[in-house]
Amino acid sequence: MNMHARADEDELQFYHSLEDARGLLEGLETLLRSEGGVRASEVKGKMQRFEASVRELKKYVEERLRGLRGDCDKLLQRVSEWLEKLQQYSPEEYLKESEKEKLLDKELPRWRGLLKSIAAAWRWEDLLTLLEFLRGEIGRGDLNWSLVNERLLGLRGRFVTLAETYSNCEYAQKLVASFEATLEEAETRSGKLSQSDRDRLVGLLDEWREDVRTVLSYCKPEIEEIPGEEEGAIEKERKGLLVSLLCFEIAGERYCVEATQHRRLIVGRYDPGGRDPVIQGAASDGLKILEGGSVLYVFNGVECRWGCIEPDRDCTHREHVEVEVEEGVAAVRMAEGAVLPVHYGFAPEERKLLRRTDAVFLKPGRRLYLWISGVYLDARRKREQVPLMLSLELRRGRVTIFPR
């Protein structure tokens, strides 16, 4: 096995461990939110399995993502402290309501944020977009520091990887230092954000976005060269062809395919047992990526509404948007038979109606936002409609190369 193949296998194992930890954390939250009392022994059992999964995850972090070793250590320390508290309960005792609330309101959001930080370490290309979303969320909402801390922790992996990618760039190092100082402060705060808190965070987010743009425009990335087995592989890696990827991202979840000529993908609502095959681990009513009748991927972080009756037009078709790679660009159109609205823009604040006769072309280095009708974080309550982000990226080695 060559080093490229081994690196890909390590990355796959890393994500398997990450998904296991996420699933166990969700199970712990579900238990804590169940009605009535919860036995401390049940909480301890689930927390122990979560701790074991994080220890397994730490092996890959120490090998490949050394800059995030501290995140794993911090998470394990917090879990260990809580396991010591739970050890003081007898098997039949119920968890104190105050400790249950503290776990739900403070600890679990922090743990989710740390997992998001680790998950994002291999990709930081969406950092500008996520900073824009967080700015809007802070500007609009009546938020508490616990949620802000979770959001910032989720960004940390991206900042660390950005700093490592541009390790010789003074702008990148100053940017990360500013972010880390703000994160450290957020971890000590509690309660609701005051107006001055919101103003200060919005100002910092604006500053960070401009700093990221400076780094991408004026600094050179450190490209990782992975030697192969055959003679001259390093030189081929240095001079070799760039790989073009078509990437889809929504609600922090990302999926990429190689952008080969005439490749045609469909985006729509996942309908298991109906027109789509049943895929283990995929949630019905998620957003799917379809190719030639095969479901390539299902985004479980969003839900798609269905069953609309006029005049309601806020539902998602099983086949809603078509994306086809043509001559180095991606053409985006309404799928055949789709009539419910889709809006698009090349910036979060830009929204234009995608008409049936339209074709929108996405070039490398740009990002396209698609607001597909019916796609929400919570479709039942129609809260937070989220855009699907498309990008064409050129990669050499393990670093994304942004066209200037």
Side-chain angles (χ1 to χ4, degrees), residues 85-100:
K85 287 184 182 180
L86 296 173
Q87 195 67 36
Q88 300 171 11
Y89 285 84
S90 60
E92 70 278 7
E93 280 188 289
Y94 288 90
L95 185 67
K96 294 177 182 177
E97 194 64 29
S98 60
E99 292 187 334
K100 179 179 174 181

Side-chain angles (χ1 to χ4, degrees), residues 52-282:
S53 73
V54 175
R55 290 190 187 281
E56 184 68 21
L57 182 63
K58 185 181 175 183
K59 296 177 184 177
Y60 302 108
V61 170
E62 289 183 332
E63 182 179 350
R64 300 292 304 283
L65 308 168
R66 289 185 293 274
L68 293 178
R69 185 184 301 163
D71 284 12
C72 270
D73 290 339
K74 189 182 298 184
L75 179 53
L76 286 170
Q77 180 184 352
R78 296 299 300 169
V79 174
S80 177
E81 290 172 1
W82 273 94
L83 284 172
E84 286 183 16
K85 287 184 182 180
L86 296 173
Q87 195 67 36
Q88 300 171 11
Y89 285 84
S90 60
E92 70 278 7
E93 280 188 289
Y94 288 90
L95 185 67
K96 294 177 182 177
E97 194 64 29
S98 60
E99 292 187 334
K100 179 179 174 181
E101 290 177 0
K102 189 174 182 180
L103 274 169
L104 285 170
D105 296 341
K106 187 172 183 180
E107 291 298 330
L108 265 60
R110 178 180 295 171
W111 298 357
R112 277 196 303 270
L114 287 167
L115 285 180
K116 288 176 182 176
S117 173
I118 295 166
W122 257 299
R123 51 184 175 81
W124 51 265
E125 301 91 339
D126 59 351
L127 185 53
L128 278 173
T129 300
L130 292 177
L131 289 173
E132 289 172 4
F133 285 156
L134 181 55
R135 184 193 190 284
E137 192 174 23
I138 290 173
R140 287 193 309 268
D142 183 19
L143 302 181
N144 58 45
W145 278 103
S146 178
L147 181 60
V148 171
N149 188 37
E150 179 183 345
R151 296 286 193 268
L152 291 176
L153 283 169
L155 292 173
R156 184 174 183 272
R158 292 167 168 86
F159 274 104
V160 169
T161 307
L162 177 69
E164 292 178 352
T165 302
Y166 293 90
S167 58
N168 293 325
C169 177
E170 183 180 353
Y171 296 113
Q173 307 312 313
K174 288 182 177 179
L175 165 63
V176 174
S178 172
F179 171 79
E180 292 284 9
T182 304
L183 176 59
E184 185 176 341
E185 178 189 350
E187 290 180 332
T188 66
R189 303 289 297 274
S190 60
K192 297 287 186 181
L193 273 70
S194 66
Q195 184 61 51
S196 62
D197 291 331
R198 289 200 296 271
D199 291 344
R200 180 169 176 270
L201 285 171
V202 166
L204 279 169
L205 287 163
D206 286 340
E207 183 178 302
W208 294 344
R209 285 161 59 201
E210 292 307 312
D211 289 345
V212 170
R213 291 188 177 101
T214 300
V215 171
L216 296 180
S217 298
Y218 298 103
C219 297
K220 293 183 179 179
E222 293 294 311
I223 299 174
E224 179 184 356
E225 294 178 343
I226 307 175
E229 295 176 339
E230 52 188 271
E231 187 176 354
I234 294 179
E235 191 64 23
K236 288 181 180 179
E237 181 67 28
R238 188 181 292 115
K239 293 182 178 179
L241 294 175
L242 296 175
V243 177
S244 180
L245 297 179
L246 175 61
C247 295
F248 301 80
E249 180 161 355
I250 191 166
E253 198 172 351
R254 181 177 170 90
Y255 177 75
C256 299
V257 299
E258 191 169 347
T260 53
Q261 183 73 351
H262 304 309
R263 189 161 196 177
R264 180 174 172 272
L265 304 173
I266 299 293
V267 180
R269 176 171 56 87
Y270 174 58
D271 184 24
R275 298 186 182 182
D276 296 322
V278 176
I279 299 174
Q280 186 175 1

